[in-house]
Structure formats: structure tokens, C-alpha cells
Amino acid sequence: MLGLLRRRAASSPAASLQLFQCCYHRSSERLLPCRDQEVSYGLNWAIAARGVVVKDKVFYNLEPSELQKSGTAYAERLSGTPLHVKGNVIGGFPEISGAQFAKLLKQVTFHLSSISSLYVQDGAIGSSAECDAKVRVISDNPSAIMSLSNILQKIPDRAISHDTCPLTIYVASSISTNVRNALGSGTQYANGVAVADIERSSLILCGKAFADSAMLKDALTALAAPILSARGGLPVPGWLLSSGGSIVLLFAPVEVIKSCSEIQDVLVSTDSGVVICSKQSSVLFPTKSRPPQLFTKPATVVVVSSDSTDALPLVSKLSPGQAAYHFLAGYEDGKFIPAYNRAPSPFDQLALANSLFLHLKKDKTPTYLINAKSSGKQIDGKDLMRLIELAQSNGMPDSTKPEDTRVAELKGKYRGFISSKFGKCLPEEFSF
């Protein structure tokens, strides 16, 4: 029946009007126990544009307290949920074809159109109105709304209606096993699966995938990156650190951040993800205990590497080209994590490093390299914080460490990895 209504709506404007008037009247009921609210005719149209027809009720932009009053509970946190990505992304995530995504999306939207209560929540990635990515969640489960509300930043009602390219998250928590297995069979799909399409700016969450916050942030970062870039922002996998009245943009191995509580205490967000705009900077996912803020552009940039051979000095000043080179390498004591990012990314890592280089060169931002190891041992959080504060003072001279065999050997490792990974056509300013 629902498919017949859709076909009639598509073939006749009058039928379309009648269909959505019907949806409007049904969804204008008083929606207790959550709150009294009429869901606008425009919202029904907007949801329909995403392939979902309102069957009965829509609960729109509910507050966490309202969700709790209605009996919604926080879902148990999950990890390791499979994420499939359609589009050209870096990171080694399993791909999905356009036909597979279209088939899954059709099944999910049909499911959402067949249930009596829909939950719609709007939010954003990034706190700058100048450069953020609006997100609309369409869900069959209020617990999913609760989980996603802890990740997305709150925005005013109707703000998303003025956005030219919002992201859409479809949550089908009660969808059949047949749909979850559309991508294949196996125990890895027991708790659910997530599928992202970069070109469609869409994310599908099946089963309990909405409870995997780490996977969600990775997927949303990848989906938001092209939008933030198109709006003039530079999205990078780093952290903002607030210290001494100024902002530091920090690039470091995740393990270093996790091991230093002193650093975590001064981070704007403990999650990686920053967007640098023309005059401001913000994090993608603020820590809930720290209200979202806009900051000035970073006054200092710090790149942290780990080298137990002491070939890298403890702290040294870098040119924009050197900073981009070390950022591109992402060196961590024998391993290379290009651009310090293991998550999926639609951006070529060399192109991202070049954008960072141009940004640093244009703004003449002082940039420093810190070695997180000394005499083969990890330096503690207090010492790392002291080195960052030393860098903030902008009094460090250029490194004049003599090149011994250890330095020559490390340079060779960098050169070999970057040449094999990115070819030999680096910008001429890039150097060790």
C-alpha cells in the first residue's frame, strides 16, 4: 500500500498534496508523553525528500529530559561495529557499491515509512555557523536519538531547512536480519552495521550500530569533511589545546594523547577533529562537560612525533614545509600513520598536507616539532605540557642538531616511506 501511495504521489501533484496533508494531520496530534508539538507540513515534505513518508507521528527535536521521561534509556556502548563506505576514501575500510547502497537505502526508508512513530533530530558537526555541517537524524528508536544527541551539537529548530547540503542519518534499529545481511553474512554483523555514502552525504545505521560512538564519529568526520572544505574550512585530524590564553593546534599519535592526563585536561575536546576557518577554529565533537565554543585561529601549531633513538630533538622549530612533511609522515617510533589518521577520509593525505602547508605559510603560524620520547622512554604529561608551553613562547631557535648516523638513518626511513606511499613529486618546500 505504501509503495502504491508513493507511485501515485510521484505521478500526480494533486495526489502528492493529498498524501502529505494526510501525513500532516496525523502527525499534528498531541505527542504525549514527550511533549505537545505540531510537526510542520514543511517537515513532512523534508523527510519525504529523503525517501521517508510519515505514517503517523513524528517526535521532533526532543530534549534529553523529554526522552528520559518517555522511558528512553541510554544504550549499552558498543565498539568494533563494521563500517562500509561508498566513495573514494583513504583508510582501508570495506567498500560498498552504488547498487548495494541504493538497495539498502530503499529497504531502510521503506521500513521507516512503515512504522507508527518516527523520531527526527537535527544537529551539527562543528560549532561555527560560518563553517559547520548540519545533520538530520531519522530514526525508529528514541534510544538512538539519545546516543546521537551526545555526539551532535545542538542547533535551533528550522536551522537545517536553510542549509544547502545537510547530512542525513537513517537509523533502522529494528530492521530485519535480511537487510543487515544485504552486505554479506557473518558474526561481525550480529550487533548491526553502518554504511556511509560520501556523495549522498548519507549514513545508514542498522541494528545497534548507533551505540558505537567511536565508529559514528569516524563516519561523520568523513562525511562532513567535503562540506566543511567547500565552505572554506580546513578540517584536520588534530586537537585544539587551550593554554595561557591562546589556542594551540596539536597533531599527535592518539596513544600519546591517551597517556597524558595533563594534556587531556586542557584539550577543548578529547576527540580528534578540528576545522580551521578564515577567522575562527572549532572542534568537530566537543566534550559534553565542556560547552562548545568558537576560538580564534591557532596561535601555535605543535607536531608530536615519537622517536626512541633521539634522532629527533626534544623540541625544535619548523618551517611550514617541514611541518607539512612531518604531519604527512605521522611518525610513531618506527611506524608511519600518514596525517595521524586511521579513520576513513575522502581527502588524499598529500593534498591535506599541502593545504596545511599553505595555511601555515599564509598565516605565518609558528610551528614546532616535539619528540614524545627521551632516551628511549616516553616523557610524562607534565614534561610534554612544559614543552608545549615552551613552544607557545615562540622563543625557540631553529634546530641546529648535527646530522649523525641516527639522523641520517631516520631521514632515510622518512624518505623511503613517503616516496613509496606518495611518489617523488612532493612540493619542493616539503623537507625533513
Side-chain angles (χ1 to χ4, degrees):
M1 175 61 78
L2 189 58
L4 178 61
L5 288 173
R6 281 184 177 141
R7 289 193 293 273
R8 287 180 179 175
S11 63
S12 168
S16 178
L17 179 60
Q18 184 178 9
L19 170 63
F20 287 103
Q21 282 176 335
C22 180
C23 292
Y24 168 70
H25 289 305
R26 283 199 299 264
S27 62
S28 294
E29 298 174 359
R30 298 169 69 81
L31 302 182
L32 297 175
C34 293
R35 70 174 170 186
D36 296 336
Q37 178 174 345
E38 289 190 354
V39 180
S40 72
Y41 182 61
L43 178 63
N44 282 341
W45 271 108
I47 296 172
R50 296 291 179 260
V52 178
V53 175
V54 176
K55 180 181 179 182
D56 191 1
K57 296 177 181 178
V58 177
F59 296 82
Y60 179 53
N61 276 356
L62 298 182
E63 297 290 340
S65 60
E66 294 170 319
L67 289 166
Q68 289 174 342
K69 287 179 182 177
S70 68
T72 303
Y74 285 100
E76 180 183 355
R77 292 187 178 182
L78 298 179
S79 61
T81 303
L83 170 63
H84 296 256
V85 182
K86 178 187 174 294
N88 187 20
V89 296
I90 307 297
F93 285 75
E95 296 182 3
I96 180 173
S97 69
Q100 283 178 302
F101 186 88
K103 180 179 179 180
L104 183 58
L105 180 61
K106 183 177 180 180
Q107 292 171 317
V108 168
T109 53
F110 183 86
H111 163 75
L112 292 172
S113 300
S114 66
I115 60 177
S116 59
S117 294
L118 278 178
Y119 296 84
V120 177
Q121 198 82 3
D122 295 338
I125 301 169
S127 56
S128 169
E130 172 191 2
C131 189
D132 67 2
K134 302 291 192 302
V135 181
R136 169 156 285 169
V137 184
I138 307 173
S139 174
D140 64 354
N141 189 331
S143 293
I145 296 297
M146 183 82 82
S147 296
L148 287 159
S149 294
N150 288 325
I151 294 176
L152 301 174
Q153 301 195 45
K154 189 175 180 180
I155 59 174
D157 290 354
R158 300 180 181 274
I160 202 167
S161 63
H162 304 293
D163 196 83
T164 56
C165 48
L167 304 177
T168 305
I169 302 177
Y170 302 89
V171 182
S173 64
S174 59
I175 204 162
S176 69
T177 303
N178 290 336
V179 174
R180 290 204 303 270
N181 290 341
L183 304 173
S185 61
T187 57
Q188 70 270 30
Y189 298 114
N191 288 323
V193 64
V195 183
D197 187 330
I198 303 295
E199 293 178 359
R200 290 177 185 250
S201 299
S202 298
L203 176 64
I204 297 173
L205 304 175
C206 295
K208 298 179 181 178
F210 65 84
D212 190 334
S213 61
M215 177 277 296
L216 282 174
K217 289 171 183 176
D218 285 347
L220 291 173
T221 298
L223 287 165
I227 297 172
L228 298 174
S229 180
R231 292 174 175 172
L234 175 62
V236 290
W239 288 266
L240 289 184
L241 184 152
S242 179
S243 175
S246 63
I247 297 299
V248 176
L249 175 57
L250 180 65
F251 298 109
V254 173
E255 291 76 11
V256 171
I257 299 296
K258 289 182 176 180
S259 66
C260 297
S261 59
E262 292 83 359
I263 298 296
Q264 294 179 38
D265 288 342
V266 292
L267 291 178
V268 176
S269 172
T270 54
D271 290 307
S272 174
V274 172
V275 58
I276 309 298
C277 306
S278 59
K279 297 179 181 179
Q280 300 170 328
S281 60
S282 69
V283 297
L284 300 185
F285 306 105
T287 300
K288 282 300 176 183
S289 60
R290 306 166 196 180
Q293 299 181 50
L294 290 176
F295 299 92
T296 59
K297 297 179 76 172
T300 309
V301 174
V302 172
V303 181
V304 178
S305 294
S306 294
D307 171 44
S308 58
T309 69
D310 292 334
L312 292 178
L314 203 55
V315 58
S316 57
K317 192 171 184 179
L318 300 176
S319 69
Q322 288 175 313
Y325 188 80
H326 282 279
F327 168 78
L328 181 62
Y331 186 68
E332 188 179 351
D333 210 17
K335 299 179 296 182
F336 292 93
I337 311 296
Y340 293 97
N341 188 29
R342 294 185 177 96
S345 172
F347 294 145
D348 176 77
Q349 294 148 336
L350 179 55
L352 184 61
N354 193 54
S355 295
L356 177 64
F357 161 70
L358 295 174
H359 170 81
L360 297 175
K361 184 177 181 180
K362 177 183 176 182
D363 290 353
K364 299 180 180 179
T365 308
T367 306
Y368 296 86
L369 175 69
I370 290 177
N371 185 1
K373 290 198 172 181
S374 178
S375 301
K377 296 181 179 180
Q378 184 85 29
I379 62 176
D380 62 28
K382 291 182 180 179
D383 287 339
L384 181 57
M385 195 64 222
R386 278 195 287 268
L387 292 174
I388 291 175
E389 290 170 351
L390 180 61
Q392 281 184 280
S393 69
N394 294 332
M396 290 292 302
D398 294 332
S399 174
T400 56
K401 186 178 179 71
E403 182 169 327
D404 57 18
T405 55
R406 292 174 301 174
V407 176
E409 183 178 347
L410 186 58
K411 279 187 174 181
K413 286 182 179 179
Y414 270 68
R415 200 162 41 242
F417 171 77
I418 289 179
S419 294
S420 64
K421 181 76 174 178
F422 304 104
K424 298 182 179 180
C425 299
L426 293 179
E428 60 181 15
E429 294 91 346
F430 281 30
S431 67
F432 186 87

